[in-house]
Amino acid sequence: MEQLKVDFDKVIESLKLSRESINFRKKNFNQFINNGFPNKRVEDWKFSDLNQIISSNIENLRFYTDLELGETDESTFIDKFAHNKIIFLNGIISKVDFSFEDDSKVLITNDLNQNETSKEVNPLVSLNNALVASYIRVTVKENYSLNKPLIIYNITTKKLKSTTINLKTDIVLEKNSSLKLINLCGDNSENNFINIVQNFDISQDAILKNYKIDHKKNSNIKYSYNNINLEKNSISENFIFSTGSKFMKNEINCNLNDKYSSAFINGIINLTNSQHHEIKTNINHLAENTKSYQLIKSVLNDNAKGIYQGKIYVDSKAQKTNGYQLSKALLLSENTEFDGKPELEIYADDVKCSHGATSGNLDEDAIFYLMSRGLSNQQSKELLINGFLLDAVEKITDIEIKDLIKKMIGIVE
Amino acid sequence: MLQIKDLKAKIDNKEILKGLNLEIKPGEVHAIMGPNGSGKSTLSNVLSGKKGYTVSGDVTYFNENLLELEIEERAHKGIFLAFQYPLEIPGVNTNIFLKTSLNAVKKANGEKELDAIEFLKLVKKKASELKFDENILSRQLNVGFSGGEKKKNEILQMSILNPKLSILDETDSGLDIDALKIVSDGVNASRSKESSFLIITHYQRLLEYIKPDFVHVLINGQIVKSGGSELALELENKGYESLS
Ligand SMILES: Nc1ncnc2c1ncn2[C@@H]1O[C@H](COP(=O)(O)OP(=O)(O)OP(=O)(O)O)[C@@H](O)[C@H]1O
Ligand SMILES: [Mg+2]
């Protein structure tokens, strides 16, 4: 923690912030110092002891983001379709490109001088608030739909000296606007802790599609926290493709604040070796006629560990809520572990909520059937696994992005 | 092409095949009839290489010890089993499965694999011969197929893979009269000097369409009687009681 204090002072010094902003960061810093990295005694972290994971994977924690950028690996960039870009390189924004859009309709701000008043209780968000060195806020103006998707690239290079990176983005969709967003990881550094915080404010009738892709195998430890606020009749569609990092926890807190808003969180966890990934969701139904839907499919090999903690909270005001969650896991070796913890907390009486979970191995008879047609054991298993994952992928409503993710998984058509 | 000598198969310490002998020569059509639970499907599974059985005896297929071959190697060498209960495979597109299967067999035999267009042409032709609605082939493999559609899909696979030994395990059960006729025509059309058939059925009707060279009666894990096609008629009239 000594290093952390030294690095914090360096960050504050280098960023040239306002007095209020420095105070805000100090408060957050102290909040983190008081809690430290969450360990398994914290209820939300009982399946993923981050403190232990970080100390056993990262030797000397350093928090100061240097400005050495290094070369970007061109293969990280998506060339299948045209898109707008924001590129974070080693935690620093290196490119912002909205050339497909009307620039009076998409506002970009980078001002690091923030001092939000809300009391933060998540120590990792506090850590992020205290240390973040590069920030972007994208506001989509009323009635505007972006012509092309936006891809936020989170790229690290071998030149990275710090062992931790804090990224922060805020996305604001004004009334009746829409955005398709891909958050794509491109990891070339090793054994880093990457802490990503994203806030989404989705106004009335607006639509946000957010596809979170961590697909290339890497040794990094990641935490991604999304806070989503939905207003009347707005939609948030999320897809999590969780397969690359050594450790990854995707946490989504979603507030359905007003009538007819809906949230979809679908995802895939596909792991080998000793990878450990978690998806944790909190869906808060806070108004009438709100809807949430979650489908998570996990495939675990070797010694991998997968976790899905899905909580649906229904406020007493939120009559006619429709909440659904389903988790299915394929455990392909005896040494895998899958932990599922569904939670329903319901204070209204006229609601439809359900949850379900299954886990098991591949069907031997199905393997026999496919092999009897000449497919190898490996080919048969791959077909069955991809078949198992397909219905979650099919939930993606954007065809272009769905095809991209299918290709990344290896689903042929 | 296939010689089975004293074949025994056990599962969970239960002996199901109890010393079965059978020889099939190239071009022959053999029918096996027998009561429920007598071991007919077990025989098909053991010949196709399904795991989980303790097997003893000799099975020679084109001068090779069949029992030592992997499931997919048997398929590559021309053994095809039309399943009594074809499995539903969610998330696997039927056309992709068919193409993967055909190309796996072709590759193993050193033949040129088909590209998407060549494959589509072949599948169109085979499906129309079997009066099989090809729209079904863009659906997930057997998922939501009717009983008869599943059986027809098995025969479609057979006609695409063009096997040397086809084992049809109660393919006729669940087929309507027209479908039975079409499937039989399909089998008859692929009868040749090289390809042989082992047809498992409960009904003499199928054997009117596909005239077998031999009929065997399998009871309690053994072939208790063999004869010509007239044996099927005899069984239809007298049942299995008189034989056991
Ligand atoms: N996995 C198994 N464990 C225990 N017994 C089994 C197993 N599989 C098959 N059997 C038993 O072996 C016997 C033969 O089964 P099989 O399926 O071969 O019969 P069949 O002749 O094909 O019958 P049918 O005409 O009803 O299709 C039955 O008594 C069946 O219950
Ligand atoms: Mg049977």
Side-chain angles (χ1 to χ4, degrees), chain B residues 26-38:
Chain B
E28 289 178 352
V29 175
H30 291 243
I32 291 190
M33 302 182 81
N36 295 130
S38 57

Side-chain angles (χ1 to χ4, degrees), chain B residues 11-12 14 16 34-43 53 84-85 169-170 202 218:
Chain B
I11 192 159
D12 297 337
K14 186 183 170 204
I16 301 171
N36 295 130
S38 57
K40 302 180 300 295
S41 294
T42 304
L43 174 64
Y53 301 97
Q84 180 175 4
Y85 304 110
D169 191 356
E170 294 197 29
H202 286 295
L218 179 63

Side-chain angles (χ1 to χ4, degrees), chain B residues 7 15-21 37-39 218-223:
Chain B
L7 179 65
E15 189 157 61
I16 301 171
L17 299 180
K18 302 176 178 173
L20 186 141
N21 297 291
S38 57
L218 179 63
I219 295 180
N220 195 19
Q222 286 181 315
I223 288 179

Side-chain angles (χ1 to χ4, degrees), chain A residues 134-148:
Chain A
S134 196
Y135 161 80
I136 192 160
R137 178 190 186 92
V138 178
T139 305
V140 181
K141 303 302 278 181
E142 209 169 306
N143 299 324
Y144 187 71
S145 290
L146 272 76
N147 298 315
K148 298 286 175 203

Side-chain angles (χ1 to χ4, degrees), chain A residues 54-73:
Chain A
I54 286 183
S55 60
S56 62
N57 283 281
I58 305 176
E59 260 177 51
N60 297 306
L61 270 178
R62 265 161 299 149
F63 299 86
Y64 176 65
T65 308
D66 45 58
L67 293 168
E68 282 263 20
L69 296 185
E71 294 297 306
T72 26
D73 177 6

Side-chain angles (χ1 to χ4, degrees), chain A residues 267-322:
Chain A
I268 282 176
I269 296 178
N270 190 356
L271 308 177
T272 57
N273 298 323
S274 57
Q275 281 183 296
H276 174 164
H277 285 204
E278 170 167 346
I279 292 174
K280 162 99 179 79
T281 61
N282 283 307
I283 310 284
N284 302 309
H285 290 266
L286 305 172
E288 273 177 31
N289 282 300
T290 49
K291 179 180 171 179
S292 69
Y293 182 99
Q294 304 178 67
L295 173 64
I296 307 296
K297 292 259 178 136
S298 306
V299 176
L300 305 180
N301 290 281
D302 309 321
N303 307 305
K305 182 170 170 179
I307 299 120
Y308 171 50
Q309 301 197 68
K311 180 169 174 182
I312 299 175
Y313 171 90
V314 182
D315 191 87
S316 57
K317 290 196 295 287
Q319 299 295 356
K320 305 211 156 39
T321 280
N322 198 334

Side-chain angles (χ1 to χ4, degrees), chain A residues 365 369 371 373-374 412-413, chain B residues 72 76 81 96 101 154 157:
Chain A
D365 288 340
Y369 185 59
M371 287 179 74
R373 300 305 186 245
V412 280
E413 274 177 313
Chain B
E72 78 270 29
H76 299 159
L81 168 61
I96 290 171
S101 161
E154 295 292 286
Q157 292 167 43

